[in-house]
Every structure is written in structure tokens, then in C-alpha cells.
Amino acid sequence: MLEISEDVLYDCIIIGGGPAGLTAGLYTARAKLNTLLLEKGTIGGQIAITDLVENYPGFPEGISGKELSLRFKQQAERFGLKVAKAEATKIEKSGKEVFVHLRDGRMLRAKTLIVASGSNPRKLGVPGEDKFLNRGVSYCATCDGALFDGLPIAVIGGGDSATQEALFLTRFGSIVYLIHRRDQLRAQKHLQEKVFSNPKIKFIPDTVVEEISGNEFVEKLILKNTKSGEVSELEVEGVFIFIGLEPNTGFLKGSVELDEKGYVITDEKMMTSLEGVFAAGDCRSGSTGQVAVAVGEGCIAGMQAEKYIEDNF
Ligand code: NAP
């Protein structure tokens, strides 16, 4: 495990080890900036739990999210990026320096900071969701899909994630119910076509989950049709929830400007309202949830951090 030092004034600290953060780190490390990347969980962020990334250029057959993340990391480390496991809880600026407070009480200093902290799965907020977490309820098909081999599974949501993961889960489930609150899916058309032509997926439109129920493990869902108001029960053992993402920006409150949904506001140079502090990827206001975009934004943030140091130190 890499030792991180409170005595060093880092050229650049990056918060978050997903595609945006690792690309920013590739650029700053390659520009010979002493760069430390902090990741509190798994390297790769959301794509590390994505089975197959099919729309990142250069991989015509697609590539597993985990493999792609490891390649991003290896490439950045080859140029000297330091990666450490740590959680930032607060940032502040004093004079020219940025201070990053860590969960363990330590405080790090840097000339520039790049926030690439990504986003977390949104919760449904219905009874049973917390109680049955890891006992039938999951937010990661790659991690937990195999636990439901031969069993009925429900996927909640209508976006790219829900459809893509429903397709993945057909490898395991005896049947995969795709439950969406409207009658139109939001997902890209080619994913919709795959879903509607897959005999193992049953689309349940205009339906919301009222409750996740069972004894020790999930046994059924209580559903409500939003048009007729009819309430019904559906027997499932796995419930995978993909209803969007929420930015992981709680530690920034009061320090940089956030939009009404909590995403970080930046200018076109990825600079936040605090000079020397940049943001990139899914935590940024206007993010698209695409790996290619996160990589591009990470690249801009890394290059701009380098320029900021040249101009200010
Ligand atoms: P998303 O695009 O925001 O879709 C969320 C889905 O959940 C929507 O269908 C929404 O319904 C539904 N929903 C939201 N809140 C709900 C609630 N409380 N109860 C029931 N349903 C609810 O989120 P995502 O699919 O996680 O994708 C996030 C980002 O990553 C997107 O930008 C997406 O394009 C990107 N992504 C891309 C790929 C890819 O390129 N292959 C794969 C995965 C993700 P409504 O439609 O009614 O709003």
C-alpha cells in the first residue's frame, strides 16, 4: 500500500479512480507533476462493475469494464501516477494551496485538485429495499448475477443501465422481468431492440415497485400499475435496481459551486468555482455517463491543472 504524506505539497491530487480520474492522472503524471490519486472503493468506479463496455473506441469486440479500468490504471502508473486507498471528506483552499481532509483525520496539500468522484446508484426508497440488501436486492449485476442462476429476477429501470444489465442477467435468470414506470424505455434504440427480441426478458411497463417483500430473502415484489392503479404481486428472488445515479459530491458542499442536483459546475476548462480545483466525469454538471466523455474531460482537467501550475507557482 502506497504511503501518502502530509509533509508533501503535491502538484496535483485527484479524487476518484474511474475513467476521468485515471485519465487526468495519466496526463499530469506524464507531464511530470507529482500526482496522487485517491480512491475510496474500487478502481474503475461504475465501469468496474459493468460487464461489457461496447462503445469505448478501440475495442471492436467490447471490453469488460474491469479490464478497461486496470488498463487505464497501468498506463497512468507507467508514467508515475501514485494511487492510494483513501476517502476525502472535505476540501478547502487557503492561499494558493488546496487542502484535502481524509476520513482517517489526515490532511493532504496540493497545488491543484481534480475532482473525479463519479456517482453512486440511486435508491428506489421503498420498504424492503434496505432490509433485503445482499439478500436479493442488488445494484450490481456483474457482482451478484450468478447468485440467481435458474431463478426469477426483476430489473427496475428503463435507461441504458437497466436494459444492458437485464440482457446480461438473462445468462442466469430463469426469466428476467424488466419493470419500468413508463411504457417507453429511455435506453438507446439498439439496446431496446436486443431487449424486445430476447425471449427471456418480459417487459412490464407503466409499473412501479411499492414494496420488496420476503422472510429471510426476497420472495416477491408488490407492484402497482400507474395507469389502472391495479396492485399485483410478482414472485422473484433477485431484484436489480438501475434507476440512475447520484453524484458523489457530499464532501464538496460549501467549497465549490454545485447545481441543484449536486453535480459540480465547471467552465469549459473543467475549472470549478474555486481556482485550481477542477472537476471531470460523472460528478460534473452536464455529464453524459459515457466513458469516452469522462476520459475526454479527465484529459482536459489534467492539461489545465498543468497550465494552472505553470501560471501560478
Ligand atoms: P438514467 O439514464 O438516468 O435512467 C434511469 C431510469 O430509471 C429511467 O428510465 C427512469 O425512468 C428510471 N427511474 C428514475 N427514477 C426512478 C424511480 N424513482 N422509480 C422508478 N424508475 C425510476 O440512468 P442509467 O441507466 O443508470 O444511466 C446513467 C448514465 O450512464 C446515462 O447517461 C446512460 O446513458 C449512461 N450509460 C451508458 C451505457 C452505454 O452507453 N452502454 C450503459 C450504462 C449507462 P424515466 O425514463 O421515466 O425517467
Side-chain angles (χ1 to χ4, degrees), residues 3 37 71 84 118 124 127 145 162 169 176 193 197 203 213 234:
E3 273 304 310
L37 183 149
R71 289 185 185 211
L124 265 180
L169 286 165
V176 176
E193 281 162 16
S197 62
F203 181 45
S213 149
L234 182 70

Side-chain angles (χ1 to χ4, degrees), residues 155-159 162-163 178-181 185 203 240-244:
V155 171
I156 321 298
T163 47
L178 179 59
I179 300 169
H180 182 36
R181 62 184 179 184
L185 291 174
F203 181 45
F240 288 82
I241 299 166
F242 299 106
I243 58 163

Side-chain angles (χ1 to χ4, degrees), residues 55 122 124 156-162 164 180-182 186 188 191 242-245 288-290:
N55 50 7
R122 180 179 295 138
L124 265 180
I156 321 298
D160 288 339
S161 300
Q164 191 167 3
H180 182 36
R181 62 184 179 184
R182 292 185 295 127
R186 179 182 291 281
Q188 298 166 38
L191 286 171
F242 299 106
I243 58 163
L245 303 166
T288 57
Q290 301 298 306

